[in-house]
Amino acid sequence: MALRDQAVFGPGSRGSLDEAGAEGREAAALAAAGVALEDDEEDDGRRGLLRWDGFSAWLHCVCVVGFDLELGQAVEVIYPQHCKLTDKEKTNICYLSFPDSNSGCLGDTQFCFRFRQSSGRRVSLHCLLDEFDKDLPVYLKKDPAYFYGYVYFRQVRDKTLKRGYFQKSLVLISKLPYIHFFHTVLKQIAPEYFEKNEPYLEAACNDVDRWPAPVPGKTLHLPIMGLVMKADTHTSIILPTVHEVDLFRCFCPVFLHSQMLWELVLLGEPLVVMAPSPSESSETVLALVNCISPLKYFSDFRPYFTIHDSEFKEYTTRTQAPPSVILGVTNPFFAKTLQHWPHIIRIGDLKPAGEIPKQVKVKKLKNLKTLDSKPGVYTSYKPYLNRDEEIIKQLQKGVQQKRPSEAQSVILRRYFLELTQSFIIPLERYVASLMPLQKSISPWKSPPQLRQFLPEEFMKTLEKTGPQLTSGIKGDWIGLYRQFLKSPNFDGWFKTRRKEMTHKLEALHLEALCEEDLLLWIQKHTEVETVDLVLKLKNKLLQADRENLPVKPDTVEKLRTHIDAIILALPEDLQGILLKTGMT
């Protein structure tokens, strides 16, 4: 008999998700987990894949980081052995996989870090992941330029070792932001690995290699050393999602200021989280990034950042303004190094579920001392929006009634979601108006361009169709929008929307071409013009495939048929040349 777990990935998934109280949110449609006892099942449809193809869909590699008395932290094992890490990446993994010495993390600790992959590294293209990634919400897409490290660190007394302690981390390196999922996997395999060492690790990696790729809308069976992720509504434990941290637990010490923190994250302001341990640091940073969902946070964020990080100098220099980044730190040294940063959140130990810490206050930055500062939000920032007292009363009532942390998280997540949607809907509405009318698309002209985004024109739309239609929160919404339009989050969001709309125009142009009687057209034009048309149509097909244009499958087939018919209408010598030019 084997212990089994469940996981459901992708928008539109059905089954246990609805019963788990997903409230219709897209995020909750991406994963659930429970425990049941059953026999292992054979994986199916996987035999055609290359060795380690399945593994690379989920993980880049697995590392074991130990402590050497002479060398300090060192990568002892990289598995599979063919996986490549640059020296810079290995150094980052070494230092980020151990808590700072001052953290005093005895026992087992789990946390997450994120680091920039080395420049010049060939981007690995996993065709299945690339194909399905476009269908995922932004917060579940793989990270092309960064790696996530999911850490299980153990520090226990061991008199047989010269140092007196056993210190080792098992680290999963991945481009996928599936925080909850990978922490759950580590919780199952790391304790066993520390007892059984490398043969166990090799067996676990072989299991991952048999996993199917994370496909939207599909229930997956994921065996890992007897644990199998599986959809089953009769199981006894539910993991709400693959990616989310316990939002209320992280915001609990600062929930009076949660709306102000939402503004700071939305505007991409430089933000430091000073925490007592890497787990509290990483959870809080990830909760902050998550609070503007479904809007993607386009700036950098480091759930756990150390003085040894390769970007340390870049992020701590005083010769220029602090960059747009959220840093999670534990070393008291940062209180001095980053005291010029405009916004610092200092948190104490996060309480277990059910225990509520004292609410921290907003304090001026000048009150931040190097070592003895009390928990608090240190900033001179004045929020644009008035504080929503309703959400505070609701959460306080939940605290008094001992409402479970999971339920408090659902309330807080819904609040953030509604706030973000109220903010983003007017922008979505205005950007949609920049799209040319469909009747302006001519098959014989290049697709029309999008109209330019004009900030003042957008501001004028807010009077009638602004956030007041969906949100009761008062305040200087116009000022918040003006500041947002200068931020990396707006730049990233608008570039993404513009690309999507340009692709839509290209797809509509392709469909317009398919509706034309092209054989009639070539009768009225020269051979040179006909050859030119064939080459242009072939380029359109290549573009549709290369850029994943939102084109209906029958449109592509229709266009192929048109191309073949036009070629057959030409003289034989031209037919031979055109049939060899590209694919038809």
Side-chain angles (χ1 to χ4, degrees):
M1 302 293 280
L3 187 66
R4 289 192 174 270
D5 227 296
Q6 68 181 29
V8 180
F9 292 80
S13 300
R14 296 288 181 265
S16 60
L17 297 167
D18 296 330
E19 294 168 38
E23 307 281 348
R25 291 187 305 109
E26 193 172 29
L30 296 191
V35 176
L37 291 173
E38 288 183 33
D39 294 327
D40 281 338
E41 294 172 4
E42 281 187 24
D43 56 309
D44 47 30
R46 304 274 346 285
R47 293 181 181 84
L49 290 180
L50 294 171
R51 180 81 168 119
W52 299 117
D53 228 34
F55 181 91
S56 64
W58 294 88
L59 295 169
H60 177 71
C61 64
V62 179
C63 296
V64 177
V65 181
F67 190 89
D68 184 283
L69 275 174
E70 293 178 6
L71 301 173
Q73 277 119 270
V75 176
E76 296 177 351
V77 177
I78 299 175
Y79 203 87
Q81 282 133 0
H82 69 270
C83 285
K84 298 283 187 274
L85 288 170
T86 66
D87 289 341
K88 187 177 178 181
E89 287 167 348
K90 283 182 194 170
T91 301
N92 275 331
I93 290 168
C94 274
Y95 286 112
L96 290 167
S97 296
F98 271 40
D100 272 323
S101 55
N102 68 294
S103 298
C105 297
L106 270 176
D108 292 356
T109 305
Q110 282 192 261
F111 58 96
C112 168
F113 62 82
R114 182 175 179 263
F115 65 99
R116 200 176 290 164
Q117 69 174 48
S118 296
S119 56
R121 170 186 283 283
R122 186 175 64 82
V123 178
S124 59
L125 296 173
H126 189 284
C127 55
L128 279 173
L129 269 185
D130 289 340
E131 182 184 342
F132 294 118
D133 205 46
K134 68 180 192 300
D135 297 323
L136 290 171
V138 289
Y139 44 82
L140 286 175
K141 289 180 184 291
K142 67 179 185 295
D143 215 325
Y146 289 83
F147 283 122
Y148 285 86
Y150 301 99
V151 182
Y152 194 105
F153 169 73
R154 174 168 287 184
Q155 177 170 267
V156 291
R157 293 184 188 279
D158 188 335
K159 292 178 182 176
T160 65
L161 299 174
K162 192 179 283 187
R163 189 175 167 82
Y165 286 93
F166 172 91
Q167 292 174 306
K168 197 163 282 195
S169 285
L170 183 61
V171 190
L172 307 181
I173 304 294
S174 176
K175 286 184 176 291
L176 299 172
Y178 296 176
I179 292 105
H180 203 170
F181 173 77
F182 284 123
H183 279 334
T184 304
V185 170
L186 270 172
K187 203 175 285 183
Q188 300 298 327
I189 65 170
E192 289 284 319
Y193 163 72
F194 290 132
E195 300 297 324
K196 298 171 184 172
N197 296 322
E198 278 189 56
Y200 184 89
L201 182 61
E202 186 174 349
C205 289
N206 279 315
D207 275 351
V208 174
D209 189 45
R210 289 194 287 272
W211 290 3
V215 178
K218 190 175 176 183
T219 302
L220 303 178
H221 297 244
L222 309 175
I224 182 80
M225 302 309 287
L227 179 81
V228 177
M229 308 309 191
K230 181 188 172 186
D232 181 345
T233 57
H234 303 295
T235 53
S236 57
I237 298 174
I238 300 285
L239 295 182
T241 61
V242 287
H243 69 290
E244 289 172 350
V245 293
D246 186 335
L247 199 64
F248 182 69
R249 182 169 175 263
C250 297
F251 270 92
C252 193
V254 292
F255 76 72
L256 290 178
H257 321 299
S258 53
Q259 192 173 302
M260 179 181 75
L261 296 175
W262 173 84
E263 283 190 25
L264 292 174
V265 176
L266 180 77
L267 300 176
E269 286 284 316
L271 196 58
V272 185
V273 174
M274 294 183 178
S277 75
S279 54
E280 285 149 345
S281 150
S282 63
E283 282 184 29
T284 305
V285 170
L286 292 165
L288 286 166
V289 169
N290 193 249
C291 80
I292 62 167
S293 180
L295 191 66
K296 181 179 179 181
Y297 182 77
F298 278 93
S299 295
D300 193 5
F301 60 95
R302 304 301 176 90
Y304 175 49
F305 188 76
T306 75
I307 58 174
H308 303 288
D309 196 286
S310 53
E311 268 81 53
F312 175 76
K313 284 184 181 174
E314 177 188 333
Y315 283 163
T316 56
T317 178
R318 290 179 181 240
T319 57
Q320 58 195 44
S324 175
V325 62
I326 303 178
L327 296 182
V329 302
T330 61
N331 195 322
F333 176 75
F334 281 107
K336 184 178 180 182
T337 314
L338 300 177
Q339 62 184 344
H340 63 294
W341 277 45
H343 320 290
I344 296 170
I345 304 171
R346 187 152 200 151
I347 56 172
D349 292 312
L350 291 183
K351 302 294 182 187
E355 290 185 42
I356 306 302
K358 185 180 176 183
Q359 287 296 292
V360 303
K361 295 178 179 177
V362 174
K363 306 175 184 181
K364 298 294 183 195
L365 277 166
K366 62 178 177 8
N367 294 334
L368 182 66
K369 304 261 190 324
T370 305
L371 291 172
D372 59 350
S373 287
K374 293 178 180 176
V377 180
Y378 294 82
T379 180
S380 300
Y381 179 80
K382 187 175 183 300
Y384 287 93
L385 304 181
N386 301 341
R387 194 156 80 176
D388 185 348
E389 298 296 340
E390 280 304 307
I391 184 67
I392 291 167
K393 285 178 191 170
Q394 203 175 354
L395 292 172
Q396 284 176 329
K397 187 178 178 183
V399 170
Q400 290 158 4
Q401 295 178 345
K402 295 189 164 43
R403 188 186 292 142
S405 181
E406 294 85 358
Q408 293 277 77
S409 285
V410 168
I411 292 167
L412 189 56
R413 189 168 282 113
R414 190 189 298 125
Y415 164 73
F416 281 138
L417 179 67
E418 289 170 359
L419 191 55
T420 304
Q421 285 179 330
S422 291
F423 182 81
I424 211 74
I425 286 169
L427 279 160
E428 290 279 6
R429 190 182 288 117
Y430 173 72
V431 167
S433 76
L434 305 180
M435 187 86 162
L437 296 174
Q438 191 160 347
K439 65 183 180 184
S440 68
I441 297 171
S442 164
W444 307 113
K445 293 179 185 174
S446 295
Q449 298 290 305
L450 295 173
R451 284 200 308 112
Q452 192 179 351
F453 187 106
L454 301 172
E456 291 311 312
E457 185 180 69
F458 163 67
M459 294 298 173
K460 286 175 185 170
T461 67
L462 295 175
E463 190 178 339
K464 289 185 179 176
T465 56
Q468 71 275 8
L469 295 181
T470 51
S471 175
I473 297 172
K474 307 292 183 188
D476 183 11
W477 285 95
I478 300 283
L480 186 60
Y481 279 112
R482 285 194 190 282
Q483 199 61 30
F484 178 71
L485 295 185
K486 301 174 192 172
S487 75
N489 283 334
F490 169 73
D491 189 53
W493 172 81
F494 182 60
K495 279 179 180 170
T496 304
R497 293 293 289 116
R498 186 169 55 197
K499 184 179 179 182
E500 289 168 357
M501 291 162 73
T502 303
H503 282 180
K504 180 65 177 172
L505 285 171
E506 292 285 355
L508 290 170
H509 184 249
L510 204 58
E511 286 168 18
L513 265 171
C514 286
E515 297 308 314
E516 289 292 305
D517 188 339
L518 299 181
L519 286 176
L520 180 64
W521 183 89
I522 65 171
Q523 290 171 22
K524 301 174 185 177
H525 292 78
T526 64
E527 276 185 9
V528 173
E529 288 172 316
T530 302
V531 169
D532 187 50
L533 175 66
V534 170
L535 294 175
K536 281 180 178 173
L537 292 176
K538 286 191 171 193
N539 278 336
K540 283 277 183 190
L541 271 180
L542 285 170
Q543 182 192 15
D545 184 52
R546 186 173 58 245
E547 297 180 5
N548 282 320
L549 296 185
V551 181
K552 300 167 192 165
D554 59 334
T555 300
V556 173
E557 284 310 307
K558 203 182 286 185
L559 193 59
R560 289 183 193 277
T561 305
H562 277 321
I563 293 170
D564 290 342
I566 295 168
I567 291 174
L568 289 172
L570 289 166
E572 282 189 20
D573 56 336
L574 281 175
Q575 285 183 34
I577 294 167
L578 289 172
L579 286 168
K580 288 176 187 173
T581 311
M583 288 166 28
T584 62

